[in-house]
Amino acid sequence: MITHLRHVRRFCSKSSSLDPGIRIYSCRTREKVPLQLPSACWVTSFYTCGPTVYDSAHIGHASCYVRLDIVQRILKDHFRMNLVTAMNITDIDDKIIKRANESGQPWMDVARHYEQEFWSDLKRLNVRSPDVKLRVTDHIPAITAFIQRLLSSGFAYKSSDGSVYFETTKYPQYGKLQNIPMDQESPAEGKKNAADFALWKAVKPGEPSWESSFGPGRPGWHIECSTLASQIFGRQLDFHAGGLDLRFPHHENEEAQSCCYHQVQDWVRYWIHTGQLHLEGQTHKMSKSLKNTVSIGELMEKFSADEFRMLCLLSHYRSAIEFGDESTTVATNVLKKFRSFFDDSRAYVGGVKPVACIDASLIRAKVQEVDGKIEGFLRNDFNTASVVTSLGDLASVVNKSINQRSTGSIEASESGTVQAASNYIRSKLALFGLQEFADEGVARADASDDGSTEEGVIDGMVQIRTSIRKQAMESKDRRLFAVCDQIRDRLKELNVEVKDHGKTSSWNYVKR
């Protein structure tokens, strides 16, 4: 697999470029640029920096990985790119060693525990698993070989304590991703320049280490991703992604050492950086060191994966997210409006709602208009917030139509047009990974192991309530209306929502 993909990348690098009409933000030029990929290449590479597994992941991490999952789904499922995704796990680091010493556990046990928790969290958030997962400690020989070439070619040097540093002055383009003031401060002991960074950390008493041609030690942080990504994709990457806080120094250093290693002008074609998440009323990012984190487990106790994903969809992937009551309420209400739309559409198509005066040509024209807008939004640096707004506008048009009373015949109901519009909206929401909209019957199917029996009981309850409600409407008996309200409220407590449509009613499971 690794050798094959590297050969593919070498073949592609010689090919002309293909412009799919997408504009993407470039941190090099500080503006949106055309996304151009090798025209003859059938593999599109996408590497994401994974976590350092020394503690539980928090919702700042979650926002990054959910947003990148959305971008990957757009590239893969909408633009039909043959995306191959890879992510690393940093399973050796100062923080892991410190946590192991504090807990009295072996460092590897600490790393494996939090690694498994991380993958479990991503699954709960409906983030697709990467095609290739890479642990740093599984690839130490490749890392030391990478460092040795940088040493041999003069881009790195060995310090007096046995560590190896990358010499930033040997790479004139250092700072291409982010403007960096080159401080005149004195370098730390063992370093030639203040900006030089460690490729290999010399062994310390009591710490894990590996042998190498330049002495025992362990990898520096930045060299890990450069080596692992190069192993999978060769001398050039199409996409490299992570949070905005990784742009410097991590990605800057990756780019510098990788360009020197591969002898290329640019190692990564397009860097994708997600905006940071902070708590409502705060301006700094969520960070374990600042003790202002909310774990993913705590998030899932209050919100569903779809609610958090909608929160991410309602802002641009490069923008900051303010997490709090206001933003989560907005996201939850947007989901509720779409659920309500699908419930009403299903009730109309199923004949539960009265026949309405449907303007089929208006709905078809609106679908075409929205479809064109959505295509433009997605091509404009993956503008998901505008897509959601446009889908909401379309849903409002359809809803208005099906709620207009008509004396027309059932043949003029245009149920097919309503269903087609509903299918279109559902497919676009499902594109972004919103689980509850992935399938028409998923809400009911997920609610019970024996759905048919349970749904039959609920249908019977709703029918009885409908009969009582008809009597109440005919006799204007408030006591009967009160009974109807009690049944409706009790069903809602059981996660079932009842909606009244004139003299008829429909029901639907409510997503928790």
Side-chain angles (χ1 to χ4, degrees):
M1 165 69 89
I2 291 176
T3 303
H4 173 65
L5 287 177
R6 292 180 66 185
H7 284 321
V8 170
R9 300 313 301 169
R10 280 198 290 271
F11 169 75
C12 293
S13 65
K14 299 176 183 179
S15 306
S16 59
S17 295
L18 175 68
D19 184 353
I22 301 170
R23 295 186 66 80
I24 186 171
Y25 181 79
S26 168
C27 59
R28 296 190 184 96
T29 62
R30 314 298 194 265
E31 62 183 359
K32 295 174 189 176
V33 299
L35 193 158
Q36 296 179 326
L37 298 171
S39 59
C41 184
W42 61 278
V43 174
T44 302
S45 54
F46 196 114
Y47 182 88
T48 302
C49 290
T52 300
V53 284
Y54 73 97
D55 202 349
S56 298
H58 55 65
I59 60 174
H61 301 125
S63 69
C64 174
Y65 293 116
V66 168
R67 285 168 137 183
L68 292 179
D69 180 68
I70 292 167
V71 171
Q72 289 177 359
R73 287 172 185 266
I74 293 170
L75 292 172
K76 190 170 186 176
D77 299 337
H78 184 78
F79 292 113
R80 301 300 178 186
M81 294 184 183
N82 187 12
L83 210 65
V84 177
T85 58
M87 184 189 295
N88 77 299
I89 294 291
T90 298
D91 59 345
I92 184 62
D93 182 82
D94 291 340
K95 294 175 181 177
I96 295 173
I97 295 171
K98 181 181 179 183
R99 173 56 63 91
N101 291 336
E102 291 172 348
S103 64
Q105 295 177 282
W107 64 270
M108 188 174 289
D109 290 353
V110 171
R112 294 294 175 269
H113 169 78
Y114 288 113
E115 177 188 350
Q116 293 305 314
E117 185 180 274
F118 171 74
W119 294 126
S120 176
D121 284 339
L122 290 196
K123 185 174 182 180
R124 294 172 70 190
L125 291 166
N126 195 32
V127 172
R128 286 175 175 169
S129 185
D131 296 316
V132 185
K133 300 176 182 178
L134 303 135
R135 287 194 193 118
V136 167
T137 56
D138 291 339
H139 300 273
I140 298 297
I143 292 172
T144 57
F146 198 113
I147 296 171
Q148 184 58 58
R149 181 187 289 191
L150 291 175
L151 276 168
S152 301
S153 56
F155 291 108
Y157 59 90
K158 188 175 180 179
S159 68
S160 57
D161 72 345
S163 296
V164 178
Y165 290 92
F166 180 84
E167 191 168 354
T168 52
T169 56
K170 294 290 183 70
Y171 182 63
Q173 289 183 284
Y174 190 73
K176 69 163 79 170
L177 305 189
Q178 181 167 310
N179 293 326
I180 304 167
M182 300 304 284
D183 297 332
Q184 301 301 314
E185 63 182 87
S186 300
E189 185 178 353
K191 295 168 63 173
K192 292 183 179 180
N193 310 286
D196 294 352
F197 54 90
L199 303 174
W200 187 256
K201 297 183 178 182
V203 64
K204 293 181 181 178
E207 291 190 356
S209 64
W210 289 263
E211 292 297 326
S212 73
S213 58
F214 33 84
R218 57 186 173 87
W221 178 29
H222 315 299
I223 197 66
E224 298 167 353
C225 286
S226 287
T227 302
L228 299 180
S230 296
Q231 271 197 293
I232 301 300
F233 300 118
R235 63 200 307 262
Q236 193 157 48
L237 296 178
D238 295 319
F239 299 99
H240 193 320
L244 182 62
D245 56 323
L246 296 183
R247 188 166 68 188
F248 182 84
H250 186 49
H251 290 166
E252 188 73 56
N253 292 348
E254 276 191 75
E255 175 75 4
Q257 65 198 6
S258 298
C259 286
C260 293
Y261 178 90
H262 293 294
Q263 294 295 289
V264 294
Q265 183 71 18
D266 295 304
W267 179 53
V268 173
R269 287 189 172 92
Y270 302 99
W271 293 92
I272 297 180
H273 296 114
T274 62
Q276 296 172 341
L277 180 145
H278 58 267
L279 296 178
E280 194 172 65
Q282 298 183 2
T283 56
H284 43 274
K285 72 166 186 172
M286 184 169 290
S287 170
K288 294 172 185 175
S289 60
L290 296 174
K291 302 184 188 305
N292 64 344
T293 63
V294 176
S295 73
I296 293 176
E298 292 170 328
L299 168 76
M300 301 300 284
E301 290 176 2
K302 295 183 64 177
F303 304 99
S304 70
D306 280 349
E307 287 169 336
F308 186 76
R309 186 169 289 253
M310 180 57 75
L311 175 67
C312 295
L313 285 166
L314 290 175
S315 64
H316 193 272
Y317 76 88
R318 289 188 285 110
S319 301
I321 293 179
E322 187 175 72
F323 183 85
D325 291 340
E326 183 176 347
S327 60
T328 54
T329 297
V330 170
T332 300
N333 286 340
V334 170
L335 277 176
K336 285 180 179 178
K337 288 179 181 178
F338 281 116
R339 290 188 198 118
S340 179
F341 164 73
F342 291 126
D343 292 345
D344 287 349
S345 297
R346 187 184 303 111
Y348 184 80
V349 172
V352 177
K353 287 176 68 68
V355 175
C357 183
I358 301 294
D359 188 339
S361 60
L362 172 66
I363 293 177
R364 286 196 293 268
K366 186 64 178 179
V367 170
Q368 291 176 351
E369 175 194 334
V370 167
D371 192 53
K373 285 183 176 180
I374 286 176
E375 187 67 23
F377 293 142
L378 294 180
R379 290 183 185 275
N380 184 17
D381 202 20
F382 320 118
N383 183 355
T384 59
S386 294
V387 173
V388 173
T389 298
S390 294
L391 291 174
D393 291 343
L394 174 57
S396 296
V397 169
V398 178
N399 245 340
K400 184 178 179 181
S401 293
I402 63 180
N403 285 307
Q404 288 179 348
R405 297 299 175 85
S406 170
T407 57
S409 66
I410 188 69
E411 290 82 5
S413 70
E414 289 288 353
S415 295
T417 299
V418 173
Q419 186 63 57
S422 176
N423 290 348
Y424 174 81
I425 295 172
R426 184 181 295 277
S427 70
K428 294 305 177 185
L429 293 173
L431 167 70
F432 298 136
L434 292 164
Q435 291 173 286
E436 62 185 279
F437 302 131
D439 180 74
E440 173 70 27
V442 72
R444 295 191 177 191
D446 287 347
S448 172
D449 292 333
D450 187 7
S452 58
T453 301
E454 181 177 302
E455 289 172 20
V457 172
I458 297 172
D459 279 334
M461 289 286 292
V462 173
Q463 288 173 14
I464 292 171
R465 179 183 176 275
T466 300
S467 298
I468 297 173
R469 188 165 171 273
K470 285 181 180 178
Q471 294 179 34
M473 293 172 72
E474 292 170 358
S475 64
K476 302 188 185 303
D477 190 331
R478 292 184 178 181
R479 291 174 298 177
L480 292 179
F481 278 121
V483 172
C484 291
D485 291 343
Q486 289 174 1
I487 296 173
R488 181 196 60 206
D489 294 343
R490 180 58 182 140
L491 285 171
K492 191 170 185 179
E493 291 174 6
L494 299 174
N495 210 34
V496 174
E497 182 180 43
V498 177
K499 283 190 174 184
D500 296 320
H501 314 285
K503 294 183 179 181
T504 61
S505 301
S506 62
W507 66 272
N508 189 65
Y509 285 114
V510 180
K511 282 283 182 178
R512 287 191 179 93

